Amino acid sequence: MNVWLTTQVSQPAVLVTVVIVEGSGPREPGAKMLVTARGQHDTIGGGHLEMCAVALAREMLKGAATARLERYALGPTLGQCCGGVVHLAFELVGPELAAVLAGLRARPREDHWRLSAIDGPATALLLGPGESSIPAVDRERGTHVLRDAQGRRWLADPCLAPRAHLVLFGAGHVGTAIMRLLGELPCTVTWVDEREDMFPADPPVNVTVEATDMPEACVTAAPADASYLVMTHSHALDQRLTEAILTRENVGWFGLIGSHTKRVQFERRMAARGVPQDRIDNMVCPIGLPGISSKLPAAIAASVCAQLLMVWERQQTAALNAPARLAVAS
C-alpha cells in the first residue's frame, strides 16, 4: 500500500507521478513511484514507459535538474499497444518535498493535497482539508496541473486516505493470510482477537491491532459503512459478533466464514432474536468468490480479498456518482 510513501530512503530520489492520461494508459492519474540510483519503489506500470521514466529520473539524479513534466505517446513513441498518451511529473526529493512526504506518513488517515512547483524554484506544500492555497486548487478534480497568476505551473495531487475500512475478527491462519494481502491494498483494517500472542510482531502499516476480550465493542466503535469479516476460533463468539453487526446501522458489508449449514443455523438464530430479515439476507456466508473451492488459507485469502475489492470498488463508484460527493472537505 503506497510503497512510494511508506518506503523511506536516505539517498537522493526522484518522485514520479502520473498526472494526465489521454486514452488508454497502464495506470491512473495519481499513481507514483520513487526512484533512486539503484532502486525503485512502487510502479507507474507500463513496461517500456516505466523503463524510460526510471532512466530519466536517474539522469536527473546525476545533475541539479529541477522538476519537469514529460509527455509520452505510448504507441508511436514507445511501441506499446495501450495507444494512449501519459504525462509524468518528475520531482527531485529535496528538503521541502521530503517534509511533505513525512507529513503524509505522519497522518495516513487524513485527506491532503500536495502542491509542487513544476517551473521555477523547487517549492512543495502540503494542504489539509479546508486549507487555502496559492494557486487555488480545484478540489473537485483529481491529480492535475494548474497555473498561478504569473503563469507558473504547479502539480496539484490529492493524497486521500483510503475510504475502505475492514474490521476483521480472528487472528488464525486464514485471518493472518488475509492480513498479509490487505497490507498491500488501499484500505485500513482493525484486526481483532482475544489472543494477543496470535498477532505478528510487525503488522502492516495500514492495520491497527486490537487485542481485547470485548470484541463486540469494536463493532460499535467502527466507522459508518465499514466492512466486517468474522472468522474467530469460536462459533459462540461468531454468533455474538454476527448479532452485534446485524443490529447496528450503516454496515457496508458483512462476511462470515463457514458453510451453507452454518449459514442456515445462524439465520434461524438471528431471526429468533428479532433481527430483521433484510439484514440477515445481507450476511455473506460462505465467503469468497464462486468457483474457488480450495481450503488452503492462502487460497481463501486470495478469494476473499478479491471479493472485498469488488465490494469496495462498487461502493467507491456509488460514492463518486452521488450528487453530494465531496472527496476532500472544503
Side-chain angles (χ1 to χ4, degrees), residues 108-312:
R109 300 196 180 190
E110 296 179 15
D111 290 341
H112 294 87
W113 280 79
R114 68 181 192 93
L115 274 175
S116 287
I118 297 173
D119 305 317
T123 307
L125 306 171
L126 184 62
L127 308 176
E131 291 186 55
S132 60
S133 60
I134 302 175
V137 173
D138 182 354
R139 293 176 182 265
E140 290 298 313
R141 296 177 64 185
T143 302
H144 61 283
V145 174
L146 51 80
R147 292 182 182 270
D148 62 18
Q150 289 72 43
R152 188 181 185 189
R153 293 178 301 169
W154 294 76
L155 169 63
D157 184 34
C159 298
L160 307 181
R163 271 24 186 186
H165 182 77
L166 174 70
V167 186
L168 172 60
F169 296 93
H173 295 296
V174 176
T176 300
I178 289 173
M179 200 54 54
R180 282 195 291 267
L181 293 179
L182 291 178
E184 300 292 328
L185 296 176
C187 62
T188 56
V189 185
T190 301
W191 193 9
V192 187
D193 201 293
E194 300 170 302
R195 305 160 295 174
E196 188 170 3
D197 60 330
M198 296 292 289
F199 295 110
D202 188 21
V205 295
N206 59 333
V207 175
T208 300
V209 166
E210 288 285 349
T212 175
D213 57 1
M214 298 183 62
E216 294 95 330
C218 295
V219 176
T220 304
D225 300 319
S227 300
Y228 300 83
L229 193 52
V230 173
M231 46 179 59
T232 78
H233 59 290
S234 164
H235 273 227
L237 178 56
D238 283 356
Q239 183 175 315
R240 299 204 317 266
L241 290 168
T242 295
E243 184 173 0
I245 294 165
L246 293 182
T247 54
R248 74 153 283 172
E249 300 293 333
N250 306 118
V251 172
W253 181 86
F254 167 43
L256 170 69
I257 197 169
S259 63
H260 289 284
T261 301
K262 182 176 180 179
R263 180 187 181 94
V264 171
Q265 291 175 346
F266 275 49
E267 284 180 336
R268 290 171 179 169
R269 293 168 186 173
M270 294 302 106
R273 285 164 171 75
V275 177
Q277 187 60 45
D278 60 336
R279 296 194 179 188
I280 296 174
D281 291 341
N282 287 332
M283 177 179 68
V284 177
C285 180
I287 55 175
L289 297 181
I292 299 177
S293 58
S294 173
K295 302 301 183 185
L296 285 170
I300 297 172
S303 178
V304 171
C305 286
Q307 185 177 35
L308 284 168
L309 281 175
M310 293 172 66
V311 169
W312 291 338

Side-chain angles (χ1 to χ4, degrees), residues 9-89:
V9 297
S10 56
Q11 63 267 45
V14 171
L15 182 64
V16 183
T17 303
V18 178
V19 182
I20 302 169
V21 178
E22 302 168 358
S24 177
R27 289 292 306 274
E28 69 286 353
K32 302 175 186 64
M33 66 179 178
L34 193 67
V35 180
T36 63
R38 295 187 178 182
Q40 174 188 335
H41 308 280
D42 228 318
T43 177
I44 59 166
H48 195 193
L49 170 66
E50 185 165 277
M51 183 179 70
C52 292
V54 169
L56 177 55
R58 288 179 176 156
E59 284 299 316
M60 291 175 63
L61 291 172
K62 295 177 182 178
T66 58
R68 57 198 296 175
L69 186 66
E70 297 289 335
R71 178 184 183 274
Y72 295 88
L74 301 181
T77 305
L78 302 182
Q80 295 189 205
C81 59
C82 293
V85 176
V86 176
H87 300 250
L88 302 178

